Amino acid sequence: MTQATLQCKLEGHTSDINCCAWSPITWSTLTSCSGDRTLRVWDISSEPPKTLSVVPASKYYVNACAYNPSGDLLATASSGDEGIVKLWSTASWTVVGTFTPHNDSARWCTFSPDGNLLATASDDTNVCVFEVGSLKQLSTLTRNSERVNCCLFAPAGWLLVTGSSSGELMLFNVYSTELLKRQMGIHNMGVTALALDPTSLLTAEGGGAVGGAFQQFKIASAGNDSVVKLWTVKCNGNVPNSKSVSLSLDGSLEGHSAAVYSCSYHPTRRLLASGSADKSVLLWNLDTKEKVQKLMAHSRYVIHVSFSPNGNHLVSASNDKTISLWRMKSSGMEECDDEVVASSSNSNALAGMEQQSLLSDVSWSMSDVIGWLEFVTKRQSTVEQSHPDDLRAVERLAVAIQQVSAVADKHGAGTEDLKCPITCELMRDPVLAADGYSYERTAITAWFSKGRRTSPVTNLPLTNTLLLPNRALKTIIEKNKRQTGT
């Protein structure tokens, strides 16, 4: 069972803390935005966590912030008549782009999975979509009748889900602006937040092409009615239209006594966190739809919750002007280099190996790794029955170890082993694809955005387009750079 324990409080903001965003590259970096008109950048790896930067961000409340997938840009959405949206360079914390598409406060901002698009939601009832590279507006989605509080991109990138104060969910094609699906009465007092289930992407069958087909993905919606609802979105066929796109309710999570303002999925486990005006954070088992833990650390409303990209931490932010940093720990699980990995104490899954982090031993030969992978495959049913929550972590670890050991087997491999198969350049942000190979994130997302559903290396069909950060390989690349002075 996964449990959260309070590690510490982050203090420094002088007004409501409205949103937090984790860096997708440096997982120990957290950025928060506040009614005090600033951004604060935190380093949670230090003891105690420290403030790296305080950035004056707006003349008004800063309502939301979001990193792009490569982590070099951060978007902010602010209150005020113009609803200003800004793009910030995270290297210098200077503004590199400004948008004023709305005539009222901007409530939310989010990037597409490939980072090429930015969507903003506003009190003016509109959602605007921009091309990040050109800083030009691509489209305006105008079918909402009340203010839009939240939005998220589907994995394919062309589909956007919006939630509004009218209690409706809407699904749009951001390129054609066509309204593909409208679900009324989702939350009878308004939709406050949306979240995408990353674990549902492991079985998705879809590409990133405009109008490309996909099988399904799962989302959660939170509302002022104190309920979190779970949904499956499906699209059948290659041409998206109102008949091919469906939205079905999977269940409801009821346990809060006041409005739910935020929800977040754990990146690898069947776990969801929700934050509420009742001052609590609840953790939910998504398989049983039961509450597994109640966290109380705030004196006022909990406005935001989010898990770190590696799942080791959870933050809750409140209008009590504080952020609570929670450490996530599961029985039989260990943390190592910002990765959650299975411990040898997990039954017989690791066949009596010494109790240590597998990723810490990069001296394994490839035959050792292959033997271990074969063992895990044979014992998969046993692991699933004994430790169903750990299976996905085991599967992820198997791929990661295969990648790391392929490099480590060469005893400090040359730079050729650390280059992206697509660009033939040293990787900066390596990610694992379904074919078991690592690629530069921008290169493989560009590959998918052209409608390709095959491996760039083997040319065989891919089962999905899920990309997982390869932190272990990135560590090796950075070590290589230090050793070679490149």
Side-chain angles (χ1 to χ4, degrees):
M1 178 183 294
T2 303
Q3 292 285 317
T5 56
L6 183 62
Q7 180 175 334
C8 64
K9 286 270 197 174
L10 307 182
E11 299 179 338
H13 281 296
T14 59
S15 184
D16 303 351
I17 302 173
N18 298 317
C19 186
C20 297
W22 294 90
S23 168
I25 305 303
T26 309
W27 293 353
S28 60
T29 300
L30 177 76
T31 299
S32 56
C33 63
S34 168
D36 64 12
R37 309 173 186 178
T38 69
L39 298 173
R40 279 185 176 260
V41 185
W42 309 85
D43 177 10
I44 68 163
S45 65
S46 64
E47 293 290 346
K50 63 182 179 180
T51 302
L52 298 177
S53 300
V54 179
V55 183
S58 175
K59 295 186 296 183
Y60 307 99
Y61 263 49
V62 186
N63 295 317
C65 57
Y67 279 94
N68 69 342
S70 59
D72 59 338
L73 293 174
L74 181 99
T76 57
S78 301
S79 293
D81 293 341
E82 295 180 333
I84 295 177
V85 177
K86 295 180 180 179
L87 281 180
W88 301 80
S89 164
T90 59
S92 60
W93 291 110
T94 56
V95 177
V96 295
T98 301
F99 310 100
T100 54
H102 300 290
N103 55 26
D104 208 336
S105 297
R107 289 291 164 189
W108 195 250
C109 55
T110 186
F111 286 94
S112 60
D114 60 8
N116 292 333
L117 301 178
L118 173 70
T120 63
S122 171
D123 286 0
D124 66 6
T125 75
N126 295 331
V127 175
C128 295
V129 182
F130 301 89
E131 295 177 340
V132 175
S134 65
L135 301 181
K136 293 181 178 179
Q137 189 165 336
L138 172 68
S139 58
T140 302
L141 311 177
T142 61
R143 302 291 290 277
N144 286 283
S145 59
E146 297 186 34
R147 83 178 192 184
V148 186
N149 297 315
C150 49
C151 57
L152 63 79
F153 279 96
W158 54 265
L159 181 68
L160 189 78
V161 185
T162 67
S164 72
S165 292
S166 64
E168 296 177 320
L169 285 185
M170 294 189 185
L171 283 68
F172 291 91
N173 184 322
V174 298
Y175 292 94
S176 69
T177 71
E178 180 184 1
L179 176 60
L180 301 175
K181 188 71 177 178
R182 168 183 258 161
Q183 195 84 11
M184 303 178 68
I186 298 300
H187 295 278
N188 58 23
M189 299 175 67
V191 180
T192 57
L194 293 169
L196 175 68
D197 181 359
T199 64
S200 70
L201 308 184
L202 291 173
T203 56
E205 296 179 357
V210 176
F214 64 92
Q215 183 184 30
Q216 69 177 34
F217 61 95
K218 295 181 181 293
I219 63 173
S221 63
N224 283 317
D225 56 3
S226 75
V227 177
V228 176
K229 294 188 177 181
L230 308 175
W231 307 89
T232 295
V233 182
K234 293 184 179 180
C235 183
N236 301 311
N238 293 318
V239 181
N241 54 53
S242 58
K243 294 183 179 180
S244 65
V245 175
S246 65
L247 180 68
S248 58
L249 180 65
D250 295 333
S252 298
L253 308 178
E254 300 185 25
H256 285 292
S257 59
V260 183
Y261 290 138
S262 181
C263 56
S264 176
Y265 285 94
H266 192 279
T268 60
R269 294 180 172 275
R270 299 286 295 151
L271 188 71
L272 181 137
S274 56
S276 169
D278 65 11
K279 308 176 188 178
S280 75
V281 176
L282 297 183
L283 299 183
W284 303 88
N285 182 317
L286 292 174
D287 292 323
T288 63
K289 298 180 177 59
E290 294 179 349
K291 178 178 65 177
V292 295
Q293 193 175 8
K294 183 176 182 178
L295 310 177
M296 297 294 294
H298 295 285
S299 60
R300 298 188 68 190
Y301 301 168
V302 178
I303 301 175
H304 174 87
V305 293
S306 60
F307 286 103
S308 61
N310 60 356
N312 284 351
H313 290 91
L314 170 73
V315 290
S316 56
S318 169
N319 59 0
D320 66 6
K321 308 174 188 178
T322 70
I323 299 170
S324 293
L325 178 65
W326 305 88
R327 184 178 296 278
M328 306 302 300
K329 198 66 180 290
S330 302
S331 56
M333 298 299 290
E334 293 180 351
E335 298 172 0
C336 177
D337 295 330
D338 284 332
E339 291 285 350
V340 178
V341 297
S343 161
S344 59
S345 61
N346 280 347
S347 187
N348 295 320
L350 302 184
M353 293 178 181
E354 293 182 5
Q355 192 167 3
Q356 61 179 340
S357 164
L358 295 175
L359 288 180
S360 67
D361 185 3
V362 293
S363 63
W364 284 16
S365 68
M366 181 55 75
S367 60
D368 292 333
V369 176
I370 292 174
W372 182 82
L373 291 172
E374 289 175 346
F375 176 81
V376 169
T377 301
K378 292 176 182 178
R379 298 300 300 272
Q380 180 165 317
S381 59
T382 302
V383 174
E384 185 170 17
Q385 292 171 5
S386 303
H387 302 277
D389 288 342
D390 293 346
L391 180 59
R392 196 176 303 281
V394 171
E395 292 170 340
R396 288 185 64 196
L397 179 63
V399 180
I401 290 178
Q402 190 174 23
Q403 288 287 325
V404 174
S405 298
V407 175
D409 214 32
K410 297 180 180 292
H411 304 288
T415 56
E416 291 301 315
D417 301 281
L418 309 178
K419 291 181 178 179
C420 171
I422 299 175
T423 66
C424 296
E425 296 178 352
L426 200 66
M427 288 180 279
R428 295 176 59 251
D429 182 18
V431 291
L432 289 165
D435 59 0
Y437 290 91
S438 283
Y439 302 90
E440 179 63 35
R441 184 190 293 274
T442 55
I444 189 65
T445 53
W447 175 275
F448 292 149
S449 70
K450 296 177 181 177
R452 295 167 173 155
R453 298 282 295 128
T454 56
S455 164
V457 175
T458 67
N459 205 35
L460 295 174
L462 295 173
T463 57
N464 60 68
T465 57
L466 176 69
L467 299 175
L468 298 174
N470 194 335
R471 291 285 294 175
L473 183 57
K474 184 178 179 181
T475 299
I476 293 175
I477 292 172
E478 291 175 346
K479 182 178 180 181
N480 180 276
K481 286 181 178 180
R482 290 194 297 270
Q483 291 175 343
T484 60
T486 58

